[in-house]
Amino acid sequence: MTTRPTRRIALLGAIAALPLPALAQARFPDRSIRLIVPWTAGGPADLGFRIMAEAVSRRFGQPVVVENRAGASGTLGALALQEARPDGYTVSQMHVGVVRQMLLNPRPPYDPINDLSYILQITGFVMGLVVRADSPWRTLDDLLAYAQANPGRLNFGSLGIGSTQHLVVERIGLARNLTWTHVPYRGTSDTLRALLGGEINFASEASGWTPLVEAGQLRLLATYGSERARRFPQVPTLRDQGLDIVVDSPGGLIGPRGMDPAVVAVLADAFRAAAQDPAHTAFLERMDQPLMLLDGAAYREQMRRTMEEERGLLRRLNLLPA
């Protein structure tokens, strides 16, 4: 005697026949997603990801909650991922410092290439050197001449020891045989408040300084990229000013190691669309940040190459641990 399949068995069979991405999309996400931004609130990385979080929340019908975890030179997001379940409900903003800080650490707590899931590269960060508008230095040459005449007297702020912003200034110092004092801060907004308050002489920071430069409170002396910033074409790059230093700093989205590729694809699609949302592209225009979309596999490979380049740089700067 044959048994007719029940409706439940037929339904289960239909679900089992669905391809993996369809299954992932059917069940993910069914609750809120935690998005870690490893900087203080108010900086360019934080603001851009908050805009994208809103767009992704609308797409998913689930909250994407931004959690700021500033400190440890921007590695607290990657560190949190080492303890998180690889289910896609905890992700973090990614930046080059996540790689570099593990080179600087004699006992690195994670492998920045193999202990993370790379989801999407999203944007680059324009960086530059700024002083207060009432400072005596109108050009980078003015500042460097003062530093040459007053060894060790100047101090500068950045996101932290070993951050991209910090290392650029140290490279300038090596190139021109200059000495100064580094003061680390927890985020761009903190660094710029310290500069405006007179705690430091200059700041090496990402483009969170843009509104303050446009308002006439800060003066931009140089940008670090391969090309001049679109919003400030009159400001020369370091290379324009005779320094062979070029820094284009991409950032993106990562998750814990071992994520389901289908969940990675769902997140990548959502954040790719959010990155191209008019609200986010308008923000990028204001901050003069380029959109640099790259899928997870290509992003991982780029960071692998970057790690080897960074290792060589840190070796030249004598910053690698013994």
Side-chain angles (χ1 to χ4, degrees):
M1 184 175 94
T2 61
T3 304
R4 296 179 60 187
T6 66
R7 182 177 180 182
R8 181 176 180 181
I9 292 173
L11 180 59
L12 289 174
I15 292 174
L18 286 172
L20 188 57
L23 275 174
Q25 292 172 15
R27 65 173 181 261
F28 177 84
D30 61 7
R31 62 182 188 274
S32 64
I33 294 171
R34 180 170 59 135
L35 169 58
I36 300 171
V37 173
W39 312 112
T40 53
D46 173 73
L47 294 174
F49 267 79
R50 285 181 184 274
I51 292 168
M52 287 188 287
E54 290 181 8
V56 174
S57 295
R58 292 193 298 270
R59 179 186 179 105
F60 285 159
Q62 298 289 345
V64 177
V65 181
V66 174
E67 177 183 318
N68 294 97
R69 286 199 180 188
S73 298
T75 60
L76 294 183
L79 284 168
L81 295 180
Q82 305 310 305
E83 306 297 328
R85 295 181 61 186
D87 54 10
Y89 290 99
T90 301
V91 293
S92 176
Q93 189 253 2
M94 171 65 179
H95 57 94
V96 175
V98 169
V99 171
R100 181 186 303 121
Q101 289 301 318
M102 294 307 98
L103 293 171
L104 293 168
N105 193 323
R107 294 183 179 84
Y110 62 84
D111 180 323
I113 306 304
N114 298 314
D115 289 344
L116 300 167
S117 291
Y118 283 77
I119 298 170
L120 185 71
Q121 178 179 289
I122 298 173
T123 182
F125 292 94
V126 173
M127 298 181 181
L129 190 151
V130 288
V131 297
R132 282 178 26 163
D134 60 0
S135 79
W137 309 299
R138 303 197 65 81
T139 67
L140 181 63
D141 280 343
D142 291 342
L143 180 70
L144 300 186
Y146 182 92
Q148 184 75 54
N150 299 271
R153 186 169 178 179
L154 292 179
N155 56 25
F156 74 96
S158 83
L159 279 177
I161 297 170
S163 66
T164 299
Q165 295 91 323
H166 169 220
L167 292 183
V168 169
V169 177
E170 299 297 0
R171 291 173 69 183
I172 294 171
L174 284 175
R176 296 292 176 87
N177 194 28
L178 305 173
T179 58
W180 31 44
T181 301
H182 176 228
V183 183
Y185 291 91
R186 290 164 61 86
T188 300
S189 54
D190 289 346
T191 309
L192 298 180
R193 277 195 295 269
L195 178 60
L196 291 170
E199 297 174 24
I200 51 178
N201 299 114
F202 66 95
S204 175
E205 268 301 347
S207 58
W209 35 252
T210 295
L212 297 170
V213 172
E214 291 183 325
Q217 294 177 271
L218 296 180
R219 181 181 299 136
L220 179 61
L221 301 186
T223 55
Y224 303 160
S226 52
E227 298 181 356
R228 295 190 180 196
R230 292 190 306 272
R231 191 172 291 271
F232 302 102
Q234 76 282 8
V235 177
T237 66
L238 292 175
R239 178 176 282 175
D240 289 337
Q241 301 183 74
L243 290 157
D244 189 20
I245 300 171
V246 176
V247 176
D248 292 312
S249 185
L253 188 70
I254 51 175
R257 179 181 181 177
M259 287 179 61
D260 183 337
V263 171
V264 170
V266 172
L267 286 166
D269 288 346
F271 275 88
R272 185 182 293 106
Q276 298 173 87
D277 185 273
H280 187 250
T281 56
F283 166 80
L284 294 181
E285 182 68 23
R286 290 196 304 273
M287 293 291 103
D288 214 14
Q289 294 179 210
L291 192 63
M292 299 171 62
L293 294 171
L294 204 61
D295 68 34
Y299 190 17
R300 178 191 296 275
E301 176 58 22
Q302 177 169 281
M303 286 299 99
R304 186 193 63 76
R305 293 194 303 269
T306 296
M307 187 170 184
E308 293 312 306
E309 293 167 2
E310 290 279 322
R311 195 190 309 276
L313 168 62
L314 294 171
R315 185 177 293 114
R316 292 195 301 273
L317 293 171
N318 295 316
L319 290 176
L320 285 178

